[in-house]
């Protein structure tokens, strides 16, 4: 039977007659209403071979990426607690070296580890335990120079080295690391974090203030955020030690340390060898004044003057405070390294670092007598150095893009005073518009009895990367996470004591009963 649609459609357009035919069976509309034809299943494509971890790693060796030259690319097998990863090394403009670890099993996050001293080498090992075990891409660099972390000579009349060390190296390498991550995994890191102590803490604050979009969360430990002010205090302490009669023997230093502990240990409710209530510890070295001639059991007037210089605020001629001074505690462990230098050959690290800034950055004179340095005379040079080296407290942009920050500092730190971090924390509130704005994105913790970055009598192991990640990704402030700091046996790595990590200005106070080495026996109190 003829299809009625065929008749109608052919009448509508003469142009379709060529497709309609003149009648009879099979003359319906093959162009407008095609008949279905049997489908054929195409043959399955041969699957591409999946690249192995070794092959994914090897592609980086000798490659050029984001302006950097990649050198080594080695697949490092799993060992002990460390999972398998690809180690990539590279260099930027010939002097800035970096290293990136790409885990085979990735947690979709990146962690950049800061440096120390004047940098000069790559230390990619994170301070926080989870940084090594949670599957982060790890990144570290050498600050744009190679050599001894005490040697500042490379900065003499070298603007490239100055800029890299001062503020640019972390950002530059981070941009390269992001390209490496994209090439290895096919996507960006979901979250990026930074952790650093000492100069690494300064680098952390440089990132937050100059490149606020680089990292989602930042852990700042014992930051040397103002090199120019801190190092002026270093030089002042060195001058006091060099004054006639101002030297302090190990016996005198031990005397001071024991006197501080005897006076302040019980202020946290228990005699445990740790001064925890730091704010209540006001120590005057004059109580140790010799009354019957010099002896190891007392301090002479010049020695008291040295100690007071170290504890006191450093001020300019007009009374402006340059540096807040150091708080008492842990002198017997810290001074032989940082102040007197008896443990390292006779010149404390404070004066060595201060000398480097004076000779190679401010005066430009390698033969300059640092004991004669007058900060007032070189104030212009110090201000110029500060524009490259020092971090400001203006964290508005970092907070504005959702960034979270943890600041932590050991109270027995004789490299960088915890009082400097207290000042910075207070200055941030002023810069961002109030304490409530600051506290929504930043928390500060003192670590009682802890020396510079680690060591000392207090619990110095605490996972702050895990804490800042939980805050940034889940919204829980570190002060609500029940974070515990521990001290580990150096041989077995088993915890030997623990304390709750207390939000400043509170401290861990003994409850009056229970194991004095257990965190459960303490609560965070303000008095």
């Amino acid at each position: 039977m003829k299809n009625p649609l065929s008749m109608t459609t052919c009448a509508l357009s003469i142009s379709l007659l060529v497709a309609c035919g003149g009648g009879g069976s099979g003359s319906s509309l093959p162009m407008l209403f095609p008949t279905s034809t049997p489908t054929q299943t195409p043959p399955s494509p041969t699957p591409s071979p999946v690249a192995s971890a070794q092959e994914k790693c090897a592609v980086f060796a000798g490659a050029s990426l984001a302006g950097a030259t990649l050198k080594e690319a080695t697949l490092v097998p799993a060992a002990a607690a460390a999972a398998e990863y690809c180690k990539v090394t590279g260099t930027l403009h010939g002097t800035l070296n970096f290293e990136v670890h790409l885990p085979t099993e990735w947690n979709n996050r990146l962690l950049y580890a800061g440096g120390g001293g004047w940098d000069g080498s790559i230390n990619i090992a994170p301070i926080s335990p989870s940084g090594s075990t949670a599957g982060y891409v790890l990144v570290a660099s050498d600050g744009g120079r190679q050599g001894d972390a005490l040697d500042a000579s490379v900065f003499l009349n070298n603007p490239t080295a100055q800029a890299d060390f001062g503020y640019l190296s972390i950002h530059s390498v981070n941009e390269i690391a992001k390209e490496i991550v994209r090439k290895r995994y096919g996507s960006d890191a979901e979250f990026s974090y930074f952790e650093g102590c000492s100069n690494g803490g300064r680098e952390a604050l440089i990132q937050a203030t100059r490149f606020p979009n680089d990292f989602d969360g930042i852990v700042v430990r014992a930051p040397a955020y103002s090199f120019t002010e801190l190092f002026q205090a270093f030089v002042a302490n060195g001058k006091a030690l060099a004054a006639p009669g101002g030297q302090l023997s190990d016996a005198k230093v031990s005397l001071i340390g024991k006197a501080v502990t005897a006076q302040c240990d019980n202020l946290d409710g228990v005699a445990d060898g740790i001064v925890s209530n730091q704010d209540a510890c006001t120590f005057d070295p004059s109580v140790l004044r010799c009354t019957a001639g010099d002896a190891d059991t007392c301090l002479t007037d010049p020695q008291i003057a040295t100690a007071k210089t170290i504890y006191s605020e450093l001020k300019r001629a007009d009374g402006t405070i340059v540096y807040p001074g150091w708080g008492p505690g842990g002198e017997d462990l810290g001074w032989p390294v940082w102040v007197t230098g008896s443990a390292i050959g006779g010149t404390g690290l404070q004066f060595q670092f201060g000398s480097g800034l004076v000779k190679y950055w401010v005066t430009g004179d390698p033969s300059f007598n640092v004991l004669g340095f007058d900060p007032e005379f070189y104030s212009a040079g110090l201000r110029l150095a500060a524009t490259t080296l020092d971090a400001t407290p203006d964290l508005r942009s970092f907070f504005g893009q959702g960034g979270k920050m943890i600041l932590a500092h050991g109270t027995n730190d004789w490299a960088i005073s915890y009082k400097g971090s207290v000042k910075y924390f207070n200055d941030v509130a002023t810069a961002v518009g109030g304490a409530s704005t600051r506290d929504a994105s930043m928390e500060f913790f003192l670590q009682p009895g802890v020396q510079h970055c680690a060591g000392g009598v207090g619990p110095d192991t605490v996972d702050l990367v895990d804490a800042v990640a939980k805050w940034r990704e889940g919204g829980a402030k570190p002060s609500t996470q029940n974070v515990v700091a521990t001290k580990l046996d150096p041989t077995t790595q088993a915890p030997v004591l623990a304390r709750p990590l207390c939000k400043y200005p509170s401290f861990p106070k003994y409850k009056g009963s229970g194991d004095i080495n257990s965190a459960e026996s303490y609560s965070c109190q303000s008095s």
Side-chain angles (χ1 to χ4, degrees), residues 324-415:
W326 280 260
E331 291 85 352
D332 51 336
L333 294 178
W335 284 21
V337 175
W338 288 97
V339 181
T340 68
S342 63
I344 57 171
T347 301
L349 293 181
Q350 284 193 3
F351 194 72
Q352 291 187 52
F353 277 117
S355 296
L357 179 73
V358 169
K359 290 181 177 181
Y360 302 110
W361 207 304
V362 177
T363 68
D365 181 0
S367 63
F368 189 87
N369 178 12
V370 179
L371 290 175
F373 179 68
D374 180 0
E376 302 288 339
F377 183 80
Y378 288 98
S379 60
L382 287 167
R383 287 195 298 270
L384 181 60
T387 62
T388 300
L389 287 168
D390 297 353
T392 77
D394 188 355
L395 297 173
R396 286 176 296 176
S397 293
F398 179 68
F399 293 164
Q401 61 92 29
K404 304 300 181 187
M405 178 178 289
I406 296 175
L407 173 62
H409 208 136
T411 60
N412 287 7
D413 187 340
W414 287 102

